[in-house]
Amino acid sequence: LDQIISAVPIVAVTDGEHGCTIYEDGSSFRVGVFLTDCIDPTGAGDTFAAGMSLGLALGWPTRDAARLGAAAASVIVEGWGAQTAPFLNQAFERFPQIV
Protein backbone atom coordinates (compact mmCIF):
# COMPACT_ATOMS: atom_id res chain seq x y z
CA LEU A 1 0.00 0.00 0.00
CA ASP A 2 2.81 2.41 0.86
CA GLN A 3 4.33 1.97 -2.61
CA ILE A 4 1.00 2.70 -4.27
CA ILE A 5 0.38 5.76 -2.08
CA SER A 6 3.82 7.15 -2.96
CA ALA A 7 3.21 6.67 -6.69
CA VAL A 8 -0.46 7.63 -7.09
CA PRO A 9 -1.92 11.05 -6.16
CA ILE A 10 -5.21 9.73 -4.73
CA VAL A 11 -5.75 6.22 -3.37
CA ALA A 12 -9.07 4.92 -2.05
CA VAL A 13 -9.12 1.76 0.06
CA THR A 14 -12.66 0.53 0.56
CA ASP A 15 -13.74 -1.55 3.54
CA GLY A 16 -17.32 -2.54 2.76
CA GLU A 17 -19.84 -1.44 5.36
CA HIS A 18 -17.04 0.31 7.27
CA GLY A 19 -16.53 2.97 4.61
CA CYS A 20 -13.16 3.78 3.12
CA THR A 21 -9.85 5.47 3.72
CA ILE A 22 -8.61 8.03 1.22
CA TYR A 23 -4.89 8.78 0.92
CA GLU A 24 -3.97 12.08 -0.68
CA ASP A 25 -1.01 14.46 -0.46
CA GLY A 26 0.70 12.59 2.37
CA SER A 27 -2.36 12.41 4.61
CA SER A 28 -5.43 10.25 4.95
CA PHE A 29 -9.04 10.58 5.99
CA ARG A 30 -12.03 8.27 6.41
CA VAL A 31 -15.34 8.50 4.59
CA GLY A 32 -18.34 6.73 6.06
CA VAL A 33 -21.24 4.97 4.40
CA PHE A 34 -24.87 5.67 3.73
CA LEU A 35 -26.91 3.40 5.97
CA THR A 36 -29.12 1.17 3.86
CA ASP A 37 -30.48 -2.36 3.65
CA CYS A 38 -27.88 -4.38 1.79
CA ILE A 39 -29.41 -7.13 -0.34
CA ASP A 40 -26.35 -7.95 -2.48
CA PRO A 41 -22.92 -6.27 -2.17
CA THR A 42 -21.89 -7.36 -5.66
CA GLY A 43 -20.63 -4.36 -7.59
CA ALA A 44 -20.44 -2.01 -4.61
CA GLY A 45 -16.69 -1.43 -5.00
CA ASP A 46 -16.92 -0.80 -8.73
CA THR A 47 -19.88 1.52 -8.20
CA PHE A 48 -17.98 3.39 -5.48
CA ALA A 49 -15.04 3.81 -7.87
CA ALA A 50 -17.31 5.06 -10.65
CA GLY A 51 -19.08 7.53 -8.37
CA MET A 52 -15.83 8.83 -6.92
CA SER A 53 -14.32 9.11 -10.39
CA LEU A 54 -17.34 11.09 -11.56
CA GLY A 55 -17.00 13.48 -8.63
CA LEU A 56 -13.30 13.98 -9.35
CA ALA A 57 -13.99 14.49 -13.07
CA LEU A 58 -16.52 17.17 -12.12
CA GLY A 59 -13.78 18.93 -10.17
CA TRP A 60 -15.19 18.14 -6.73
CA PRO A 61 -12.91 17.97 -3.69
CA THR A 62 -11.69 14.44 -3.04
CA ARG A 63 -13.73 14.03 0.14
CA ASP A 64 -16.96 14.99 -1.66
CA ALA A 65 -16.11 12.73 -4.61
CA ALA A 66 -15.61 9.81 -2.20
CA ARG A 67 -18.90 10.62 -0.51
CA LEU A 68 -20.64 10.49 -3.90
CA GLY A 69 -19.03 7.10 -4.49
CA ALA A 70 -20.34 5.88 -1.13
CA ALA A 71 -23.82 7.17 -1.95
CA ALA A 72 -23.77 5.39 -5.33
CA ALA A 73 -22.60 2.16 -3.69
CA SER A 74 -25.47 2.42 -1.21
CA VAL A 75 -27.92 2.40 -4.12
CA ILE A 76 -26.40 -0.56 -5.95
CA VAL A 77 -26.44 -2.87 -2.89
CA GLU A 78 -30.19 -2.51 -2.41
CA GLY A 79 -30.98 -5.09 -5.09
CA TRP A 80 -29.56 -8.19 -6.75
CA GLY A 81 -26.80 -7.71 -9.29
CA ALA A 82 -27.38 -4.67 -11.47
CA GLN A 83 -31.10 -4.57 -10.64
CA THR A 84 -30.77 -1.13 -9.01
CA ALA A 85 -28.45 0.42 -11.64
CA PRO A 86 -31.33 2.42 -13.18
CA PHE A 87 -31.70 4.19 -9.83
CA LEU A 88 -28.09 5.34 -9.44
CA ASN A 89 -29.17 8.96 -9.90
CA GLN A 90 -30.47 8.67 -6.32
CA ALA A 91 -26.85 8.92 -5.20
CA PHE A 92 -27.02 12.68 -5.71
CA GLU A 93 -30.08 12.84 -3.43
CA ARG A 94 -28.39 10.72 -0.76
CA PHE A 95 -25.08 12.57 -0.91
CA PRO A 96 -25.77 14.98 1.99
CA GLN A 97 -26.83 12.10 4.24
CA ILE A 98 -23.56 10.16 4.34
CA VAL A 99 -22.54 9.21 7.88
Side-chain angles (χ1 to χ4, degrees):
L1 180 60
D2 290 335
Q3 289 179 329
I4 294 171
I5 292 169
S6 68
V8 179
I10 300 171
V11 176
V13 178
T14 58
D15 190 18
E17 64 189 34
H18 303 292
C20 67
T21 303
I22 306 295
Y23 298 90
E24 179 181 36
D25 296 329
S27 63
S28 65
F29 57 90
R30 301 264 316 143
V31 172
V33 297
F34 176 85
L35 300 177
T36 190
D37 292 323
C38 180
I39 303 298
D40 178 14
T42 304
D46 291 335
T47 304
F48 169 86
M52 182 172 173
S53 295
L54 174 61
L56 292 171
L58 292 172
W60 291 11
T62 304
R63 184 180 305 270
D64 289 341
R67 290 175 68 216
L68 179 61
S74 76
V75 174
I76 208 70
V77 302
E78 292 180 338
W80 292 103
Q83 181 181 36
T84 55
F87 307 106
L88 281 172
N89 61 328
Q90 292 177 8
F92 290 101
E93 299 166 15
R94 294 179 184 195
F95 176 84
Q97 301 174 28
I98 299 297
V99 293

